Amino acid sequence: MSENLNQGLLLLEKVLLLKSLSIFKDTPETTLSELAPLMQEEEIEKDGIIFNENDPGDCMYIILSGQVQIHKGKTELATLHEKEVFGELSLLDAETRSASATAKTDCVLYKIDQEPFYELIDTRPEVARGFIKILCTRLRQLNEKTARSN
Amino acid sequence: MKQKNIWLRTLSVRTEEVSIVKKLFLLQFFQGAGIAFFLTASLTLLLDNFEITKIPYVFIYASVFLWIAGFIYSKLEHKFNLSKLGLIITIFMIVSILFFRLAFVFFHSSWFIYLMLPWFYVLYLLNNLEFWGVAALLFDARQSKRLFGVISAGDIPAKLIGYSMAGLAVHYIGTINLLWAALACMIASIPFLVGIKEASISHESHHHKDHSHKNNKHKKSNIDVRRIIENYSGNALVRRLAALGILVSGSFLIVNFAFLAKVKQAYHSDVSLANFIAFFNSIISIIFLIVKLIFTSRLINKLGIIKSLLITPIVMFILISTIILTQNYGNSKMILYFFGAAYTLVDILRTSINNPVFLTIMQPLPNHERLRAHMILKGITDPFAFLFSGIALLTLIQLQGKVNLVSLSYVLLAMCILWFIGVYQVNIQYLKTIVKSISNRFFNLENFSVKDTGTLDWLRAKAKTGSETEIINILNMLNAENDPIPDDLIILLLHNPSEKVKSFVLHLMMEKDYPIAAKSILALIKQDVSPSILASSIKVICKNNIDFDEVKMHLDSSNKEIRDAALDGLFFYATGELKERAESIIKKLITSESTNERLSVAKILSQHNNCKEEKMILRLMNDEVASIRKYAFIAAGKSGNTRLLEALIKLGIKYEFEVIEPLLIGGDFSLPAIYSFITANKGSILLREKLILLIGRINSENSHEILIKLLNDLPGEYPSIIKAIYRSSYVPKHNEREAFITVIRKMLTQSSGIVYIQNDLIHHESNLQLLSSALSLELDSLRENLLLVFAILYKRDNINKVRKAYASGNKSNIINAMEILDITARKDIAYRFNLIFEPGNISERLHDIQKIYPEVIFKNTVEILNCILSEEISYFNDWTLACAIYVSKKQNYSIDINLLIKHKFSENLLLKEMAELY
């Protein structure tokens, strides 16, 4: 529908996009609808740098279209595609980026900045609860993985 | 198709359960018929060949056989999976029937006839163990409630046909050849057992996992009788159920004996005996069939566990009492009839109600425990019942020299009374078990409190010698007690070398009055202390009116902390010239350009309750600096001043959440302002929601009254109001409960409306998944709110377990939770809630929902969308409304545009954006 309106995604569609991401698949749409207005669209041309290694991390990105290369120097670590997320931990802490991100093709990204996110969780604790739940799930999975590898 | 659905509904069977229920029914049908043929033959031959006084020995032999059979079964149960075991058991039953038939050919003595009736009980036990063992694994607690009545009814038509056929056939083939019919029926059951095997694979793998672990651990002990007894005593619910089971079976056996004694007197040939036994049992089977198919599951659902279990003893009590009361007037035939009636009713009720209820009671136990409980109930209680009733009957016969039915009646009456007590005990344990089964991961810590003087003395001594942290912890603990901390300890600790300890003691002195200790502070400030300790000391000196002149000189201190402490102390506690001096300085500071100076005043004002400086506070409340406002807001909250609190809440429109905590500090004084603000629909939705929750946090009688008032005034704010009430310590008074019941009813009606919409969405369109999941969220939210209201009205702990079970999303937890709700909440309400929120297919539940809530019929999707947007049947989340608009726009549904007007002004950006698309 948004294409017909010749605009970016509607807020509702942004919620659906968030819901389609693996990290938010268990978060209720009512919570995600608080997060959606924080999503800012960014268009990056092929080979455009999204961030460099050691830059302070203060936002997360969602790929709407295109491919993003995650790399350390010239060593490619991963190629991310549509509906994948990167830099999500930067929403919660201010650690530096552990790798660089460069657009492998022309990309449309959605960016969520840390500061408005903090403001949101000040007034909407359920958003924070949703994130804590996601982190707990990841921690559990990691624990299980470590236990298995031991 | 429709006809089939009506049948399924009548029998409370759901579509996905049809296949397995059919197989179980037919299995029970054929095995039941086989056993009916065997019983007719064995009972007839026994009564025909032996005296009635020999029957108690039959019971005793039966007890021994049953012990052995139960024991072997428990051993085999751990070696084979249940379907394989079922097959082994069936083959064993076939071989044993064949043996008895062939015995008539090869043996000329009648010893094996004497063993046939005890053997019937073994066959009956094995059939039960096999059948219920499989059934208990295949179904959960709620399915059990619905289906056990139906599937166990399989043996009733079987018995009906078996007994009728036996009655007819005996004239032509003779009693002995009835055993061939028994054999044929048993063989016919095998294909259904094989069919069930496939369906039970997944359940069994879980079951076996449990057992393989247990097997290794207890391999040796499983063949130990002591182990079975230990198992029996290990679980209180199983223990009580077993005791009740012994009582139930024992009562039945004694009634059975009394009845057989009269039958033996009345009939003398084997054919007439077989005819009577077959005819009588056919009649019982017909009544059985009606009770089981139509009433059992409904009765258990409607009455609940305890009342269902009480039906049989009540009926027996009435009949036996009648026998005792009429013994002087009635003749022997009348007593026979009464015993006949008692035998019939007890047998019917015991099998059609007691047994399924027993099975239902066992469902909250884990799988392996449930099976063990089943084995114990059948494998241990029945033999005990046979043994006890056999011995009791033998003793009575020995004592009286004959069979005296009146004496037996008194014994039965006593057993009825024990039965009532047993039911009560089982119910208590059932409730405990069901709560435990979903809550064993949670526990509550009890509050720690020091009361005894010995411990207090020890703590005081420790406070003198302990480390910094120890001292502070001990002081905290002592401070929490009602008695003040001794002054000598306070004085001692004021001189403690630790800055933290000193500071903490001074903090305590500001909180509570320690006049003697306060005097020693003058000496403290003359020592070389830090500015922070000096500032705190100044405040304590002023608070205790010790020496204002000593403080006066600190008004000119270059250290801000010390100056502010002096200003604070003199302004609030001094009088006359000193107070005026402090006031003039504060007035200057309040108009100062310096943020820090204004902040100092705000901090000073915020530290005192009931501060009268309305103008000063008001001025600072409107300061442009957030940190100054923050303290001024606190000062307003602490002032309890109505005008300041009204001003504070108005500032909420601008500063939103900054006002929440100060209003909480204002407590009861804030309530009128908050109420007016909310009911006037001022501020954002979010702020109003926070304010409603705040009323709950104030948690006073007045705040509770306001919340109840809001419940009536603002039905659209139910979720927040309910949450606020739930979070407070509110306990509804008797006359207030009805208001909550009304709320529950409304929310249940709304939920049913959403269920209807969801169901219609499934039928009208397949591509409205977005709207359907939004409605699921609505239902989740309604369910949660309903449970919060239940928690307000009923046992909070139990309801919270229900909430946790739903939050876990685990089906078996939810099933147990629904049972808890059944027990905890009002019956009709719990029933409706469970009906709407039971996990599973909506359309299956719809028929029952329609009986309570008139169906909302939608002709098409547009009507559904209009219904949601108009919020006719329920208030909907902004998300659901937005989804409805999105769907209508995307799929070109011509919805009523007028319904969107109000949403164009919505505070919710997402909803506003959607509405503006039109």
Side-chain angles (χ1 to χ4, degrees):
Chain A
M1 179 152 58
S2 48
E3 290 85 348
N4 298 342
L5 296 167
N6 201 22
Q7 289 173 358
L9 292 185
L10 292 166
L11 282 172
L12 189 139
E13 289 168 330
K14 286 181 182 173
V15 172
L16 299 180
L17 172 66
L18 288 171
K19 184 75 182 172
S20 70
L21 306 174
S22 62
I23 60 162
F24 293 127
K25 70 177 183 345
D26 295 323
T27 311
E29 288 88 338
T30 40
T31 306
L32 296 177
S33 62
E34 303 291 337
L35 203 57
L38 308 186
M39 292 164 70
Q40 301 163 48
E41 194 177 301
E42 269 190 12
E43 287 182 20
I44 314 275
E45 282 181 8
K46 189 183 172 192
D47 297 327
I49 293 168
I50 302 163
F51 54 73
N52 282 313
E53 188 181 348
N54 296 325
D55 280 356
D58 59 357
C59 62
M60 71 170 255
Y61 292 93
I62 300 152
I63 307 172
L64 181 67
S65 64
Q67 291 178 11
V68 171
Q69 186 191 47
I70 305 293
H71 57 98
K72 271 190 177 244
K74 287 186 178 173
T75 315
E76 182 177 316
L77 301 176
T79 298
L80 304 176
H81 302 85
E82 258 177 42
K83 293 189 181 175
E84 286 195 273
V85 176
F86 57 99
E88 63 271 30
L89 289 182
S90 295
L91 264 192
L92 299 166
D93 65 16
E95 290 295 303
T96 53
R97 304 283 188 189
S98 56
S100 305
T102 307
K104 206 171 179 178
T105 60
D106 286 349
C107 290
V108 180
L109 306 177
Y110 275 106
K111 182 174 131 180
I112 300 176
D113 280 324
Q114 194 186 63
E115 210 176 308
F117 179 74
Y118 276 176
E119 278 168 22
L120 178 68
I121 58 177
D122 270 352
T123 54
R124 285 290 190 187
E126 63 269 27
V127 177
R129 274 203 294 272
F131 252 79
I132 292 167
K133 219 173 155 184
I134 292 165
L135 291 176
C136 288
T137 312
R138 283 190 168 191
L139 196 61
R140 276 203 193 93
Q141 284 167 352
L142 206 67
N143 285 344
E144 276 168 25
K145 212 173 161 184
T146 314
R148 270 201 303 273
S149 63
N150 288 338
Chain B
M1 187 70 183
K2 265 195 170 172
Q3 194 72 22
K4 189 184 168 191
N5 284 341
I6 292 166
W7 268 107
L8 292 180
R9 277 178 207 153
T10 314
L11 300 175
S12 309
V13 178
R14 294 185 178 163
T15 324
E16 67 271 17
E17 298 158 349
V18 171
S19 163
I20 194 72
V21 167
K22 207 193 279 175
K23 284 181 187 124
L24 281 166
F25 186 92
L26 288 169
L27 171 74
Q28 190 69 332
F29 175 86
F30 282 108
Q31 297 206 348
I35 289 170
F37 279 115
F38 190 86
L39 174 67
T40 311
S42 55
L43 192 56
T44 304
L45 291 165
L46 183 85
L47 290 176
D48 193 38
N49 287 285
F50 297 94
E51 283 302 312
I52 189 71
T53 48
K54 296 287 177 197
I55 298 263
Y57 291 106
V58 169
F59 288 169
I60 294 168
Y61 293 144
S63 78
V64 177
F65 284 4
L66 288 174
W67 262 107
I68 296 167
F71 167 67
I72 294 171
Y73 183 90
S74 73
K75 201 178 154 192
L76 294 177
E77 187 195 39
H78 290 274
K79 285 202 168 171
F80 301 99
N81 63 41
L82 275 171
S83 39
K84 205 173 209 174
L85 186 59
L87 212 60
I88 294 169
I89 297 286
T90 307
I91 292 167
F92 176 70
M93 291 196 287
I94 291 169
V95 171
S96 72
I97 296 170
L98 188 65
F99 165 78
F100 281 112
R101 180 60 194 89
L102 294 178
F104 284 97
V105 180
F106 295 108
F107 303 112
H108 298 291
S109 150
S110 57
W111 61 269
F112 56 87
I113 295 176
Y114 203 68
L115 295 182
M116 279 178 74
L117 191 58
W119 195 253
F120 155 75
Y121 292 115
V122 172
L123 293 184
Y124 195 73
L125 166 76
L126 291 177
N127 165 257
N128 259 290
L129 284 173
E130 167 210 348
F131 180 78
W132 289 114
V134 174
L137 257 189
L138 288 171
F139 302 119
D140 61 44
R142 295 197 68 78
Q143 283 177 310
S144 312
K145 265 192 175 181
R146 276 188 296 109
L147 301 174
F148 280 2
V150 180
I151 55 168
S152 63
D155 70 336
I156 315 292
K159 279 178 182 164
L160 178 63
I161 292 167
Y163 290 126
S164 311
M165 294 292 289
L168 288 172
V170 75
H171 290 286
Y172 306 103
I173 60 171
T175 313
I176 299 165
N177 287 326
L178 291 177
L179 295 174
W180 287 122
L183 201 65
C185 288
M186 281 294 174
I187 293 168
S189 73
I190 291 176
F192 303 106
L193 199 57
V194 174
I196 291 164
K197 188 181 172 183
E198 282 150 27
S200 61
I201 282 167
S202 62
H203 296 270
E204 281 187 31
S205 60
H206 180 64
H207 156 71
H208 253 258
K209 237 185 210 170
D210 289 344
H211 278 282
S212 57
H213 171 70
K214 281 199 166 310
N215 251 355
N216 295 333
K217 207 174 167 187
H218 303 302
K219 204 170 183 179
K220 233 180 171 180
S221 53
N222 270 334
I223 53 165
D224 187 351
V225 175
R226 268 184 308 176
R227 183 69 205 164
I228 298 175
I229 303 292
E230 274 169 25
N231 279 348
Y232 162 73
S233 56
N235 183 303
L237 178 65
V238 178
R239 202 163 52 229
R240 289 184 190 185
L241 270 176
L244 185 61
I246 292 173
L247 209 63
V248 174
S249 299
S251 307
F252 172 69
L253 286 171
I254 293 173
V255 173
N256 187 8
F257 171 79
F259 179 62
L260 287 178
K262 285 288 169 189
V263 173
K264 166 84 180 163
Q265 279 174 13
Y267 301 93
H268 304 289
S269 75
D270 73 325
V271 174
S272 62
L273 265 170
N275 249 331
F276 176 79
I277 291 165
F279 170 75
F280 192 80
N281 282 322
S282 308
I283 299 290
I284 289 180
S285 303
I286 293 170
I287 307 172
F288 249 159
L289 188 64
I290 297 164
V291 173
K292 268 200 169 181
L293 283 181
I294 312 292
F295 299 116
T296 300
S297 55
R298 282 175 176 77
L299 214 63
I300 298 170
N301 266 330
K302 290 269 175 215
L303 294 180
I305 301 291
I306 190 158
K307 283 184 188 158
S308 304
L309 281 178
L310 281 173
I311 294 173
T312 318
I314 287 171
V315 169
M316 190 168 116
F317 189 87
I318 293 166
L319 282 167
I320 303 298
S321 301
T322 317
I323 292 173
I324 293 170
L325 290 172
T326 56
Q327 58 174 298
N328 294 329
Y329 314 105
N331 54 27
S332 159
K333 218 167 194 179
M334 197 187 229
I335 294 175
L336 167 69
Y337 291 146
F338 272 123
F339 269 111
Y343 170 76
T344 313
L345 285 169
V346 172
D347 196 14
I348 289 168
L349 296 174
R350 184 181 75 118
T351 322
S352 61
I353 295 174
N354 264 52
N355 289 354
V357 173
F358 269 30
L359 261 289
T360 305
I361 289 172
M362 283 187 245
Q363 297 307 312
L365 296 171
N367 259 359
H368 65 277
E369 278 218 23
R370 203 190 303 170
L371 277 166
R372 206 182 63 190
H374 190 258
M375 187 270 287
I376 287 165
L377 267 183
K378 282 290 162 191
I380 294 179
T381 62
D382 276 2
F384 266 121
F386 274 102
L387 188 67
F388 289 149
S389 47
I391 291 171
L393 288 168
L394 264 183
T395 315
L396 268 178
I397 292 168
Q398 293 289 325
L399 285 175
Q400 300 186 318
K402 59 171 186 171
V403 177
N404 186 334
L405 296 183
V406 177
S407 313
L408 280 182
S409 305
Y410 281 107
V411 173
L412 286 169
L413 213 56
M415 291 176 90
C416 275
I417 292 162
L418 288 174
W419 195 332
F420 292 135
I421 298 166
V423 169
Y424 176 72
Q425 293 290 329
V426 163
N427 189 53
I428 290 173
Q429 200 53 45
Y430 173 64
L431 303 187
K432 285 184 187 166
T433 308
I434 206 160
V435 168
K436 195 178 154 196
S437 71
I438 64 163
S439 64
N440 51 10
R441 282 180 299 158
F442 307 99
F443 63 93
N444 292 319
L445 281 171
E446 283 186 12
N447 289 331
F448 183 75
S449 175
V450 187
K451 293 277 177 222
D452 64 291
T453 19
T455 317
L456 281 172
D457 288 343
W458 181 84
L459 286 173
R460 284 173 192 142
K462 188 77 185 163
K464 292 173 189 168
T465 56
S467 69
E468 187 179 85
T469 318
E470 277 173 348
I471 295 171
I472 290 171
N473 285 340
I474 290 167
L475 285 175
N476 256 328
M477 204 181 284
L478 292 172
N479 192 42
E481 298 299 313
N482 283 333
D483 299 328
I485 302 169
D487 277 84
D488 60 333
L489 185 61
I490 294 279
I491 294 168
L492 184 82
L493 293 175
L494 275 174
H495 297 282
N496 189 289
S498 160
E499 188 89 345
K500 264 192 185 172
V501 171
K502 273 198 208 107
S503 171
F504 191 76
V505 173
L506 286 165
H507 165 75
L508 290 180
M509 293 175 83
M510 280 304 286
E511 263 189 8
K512 285 184 183 172
D513 289 333
Y514 292 97
I516 301 166
K519 282 176 188 158
S520 71
I521 293 186
L522 279 177
L524 179 74
I525 60 171
K526 282 176 183 142
Q527 293 169 15
D528 185 18
V529 289
S530 69
S532 169
I533 296 293
L534 181 58
S536 300
S537 304
I538 288 169
K539 285 182 192 170
V540 176
I541 288 169
C542 292
K543 185 187 168 237
N544 289 282
N545 294 329
I546 292 171
D547 191 345
F548 291 117
D549 287 330
E550 196 64 42
V551 174
K552 172 175 77 176
M553 62 179 178
H554 295 294
L555 284 175
D556 302 317
S557 170
S558 57
N559 182 298
K560 214 166 127 316
E561 193 180 4
I562 296 170
R563 182 205 66 182
D564 287 353
L567 267 178
D568 181 337
L570 293 174
F571 182 62
F572 282 99
Y573 301 107
T575 49
E577 191 198 329
L578 282 175
K579 182 179 169 73
E580 280 167 20
R581 196 175 152 201
E583 191 176 348
S584 82
I585 296 172
I586 285 177
K587 279 182 177 166
K588 261 188 209 160
L589 294 179
I590 214 169
T591 52
S592 161
E593 290 284 310
S594 157
T595 302
N596 281 340
E597 300 293 34
R598 297 200 307 278
L599 184 62
S600 290
V601 182
K603 278 184 181 172
I604 290 170
L605 296 176
S606 73
Q607 281 166 18
H608 296 269
N609 291 330
N610 309 315
C611 177
K612 305 275 187 281
E613 308 307 321
E614 190 182 315
K615 278 184 187 164
M616 286 188 193
I617 296 172
L618 204 55
R619 185 187 175 104
L620 293 168
M621 278 166 72
N622 287 290
D623 201 289
E624 59 191 15
V625 179
S627 56
I628 295 173
R629 277 200 312 270
K630 179 184 154 191
Y631 286 106
F633 287 173
I634 293 171
K638 281 186 173 177
S639 73
N641 180 313
T642 315
R643 279 186 297 271
L644 283 176
L645 289 165
E646 277 170 3
L648 180 61
I649 204 159
K650 275 181 195 157
L651 286 168
I653 297 172
K654 195 172 171 189
Y655 301 118
E656 294 239 297
F657 310 112
E658 288 179 27
V659 302
I660 300 291
E661 289 308 309
L663 284 168
L664 177 65
I665 293 168
D668 270 5
F669 294 109
S670 305
L671 290 172
I674 299 175
Y675 180 75
S676 314
F677 188 85
I678 295 170
T679 47
N681 211 23
K682 290 179 185 163
S684 67
I685 294 172
L686 198 59
L687 178 64
R688 286 201 299 278
E689 187 187 314
K690 299 264 178 203
L691 287 172
I692 291 169
L693 293 175
L694 172 69
I695 302 175
R697 286 170 68 197
I698 290 173
N699 199 15
S700 63
E701 253 182 59
N702 292 335
S703 74
H704 298 158
E705 268 176 34
I706 298 250
L707 285 170
I708 304 296
K709 226 162 129 187
L710 286 174
L711 207 56
N712 295 318
D713 296 347
L714 303 172
E717 307 282 355
Y718 273 177
S720 321
I721 300 169
I722 290 166
K723 211 182 277 176
I725 298 176
Y726 168 80
R727 287 178 183 175
S728 72
S729 61
Y730 169 77
V731 178
K733 295 181 194 96
H734 185 71
N735 60 345
E736 289 166 345
R737 297 182 78 86
E738 205 43 47
F740 287 97
I741 299 290
T742 310
V743 170
I744 290 174
R745 287 209 178 101
K746 278 184 192 167
M747 287 164 75
L748 283 171
T749 309
Q750 287 174 9
S751 309
S752 70
I754 295 175
V755 170
Y756 286 132
I757 296 179
Q758 275 196 319
N759 186 57
D760 276 21
L761 279 179
I762 296 167
H763 289 105
H764 288 313
E765 301 284 338
S766 57
N767 53 352
L768 293 176
Q769 187 54 42
L770 174 65
L771 194 56
S772 187
S773 34
L775 290 170
S776 295
L777 283 177
E778 292 285 352
L779 273 181
D780 288 350
S781 148
L782 273 164
R783 187 198 65 222
E784 174 66 5
N785 287 324
L786 275 162
L787 287 173
L788 291 182
V789 185
F790 290 155
I792 294 164
L793 289 178
Y794 309 108
K795 276 187 188 165
R796 182 174 281 238
D797 286 351
N798 281 7
I799 301 296
N800 281 339
K801 306 245 157 55
V802 178
R803 290 176 62 212
K804 278 172 189 159
Y806 270 105
S808 75
N810 177 304
K811 196 183 167 192
S812 72
N813 278 356
I814 295 173
I815 298 296
N816 280 338
M818 291 167 87
E819 288 298 299
I820 294 181
L821 196 69
D822 246 352
I823 298 156
T824 313
R826 216 169 90 168
K827 204 88 202 145
D828 58 328
I829 285 172
Y831 175 72
R832 286 162 193 228
F833 178 94
N834 286 340
L835 204 58
I836 294 170
F837 296 104
E838 185 176 348
N841 191 338
I842 298 172
S843 49
E844 295 285 356
R845 303 196 305 272
L846 218 60
H847 175 72
D848 290 328
I849 296 174
Q850 280 161 353
K851 283 184 198 160
I852 301 168
Y853 300 101
E855 189 180 359
V856 188
I857 298 165
F858 301 99
K859 283 186 211 140
N860 49 42
T861 308
V862 174
E863 274 197 11
I864 294 177
L865 294 168
N866 283 337
C867 172
I868 292 172
L869 291 168
S870 65
E871 299 186 80
E872 264 171 38
I873 58 160
S874 173
Y875 291 99
F876 287 103
N877 284 325
D878 289 344
W879 171 251
T880 311
L881 297 169
C883 287
I885 303 171
Y886 183 78
V887 163
S888 64
K889 187 80 183 167
K890 195 163 188 180
Q891 298 187 24
N892 295 320
Y893 289 117
S894 312
I895 53 166
D896 182 354
I897 308 288
N898 292 324
L899 297 172
L900 303 181
I901 295 170
K902 65 172 178 179
H903 301 313
K904 289 185 180 175
F905 304 97
S906 171
E907 283 176 32
N908 185 298
L909 291 176
L910 193 140
L911 177 59
K912 190 167 181 261
E913 186 186 60
M914 291 316 307
E916 282 170 350
L917 285 179
Y918 277 91

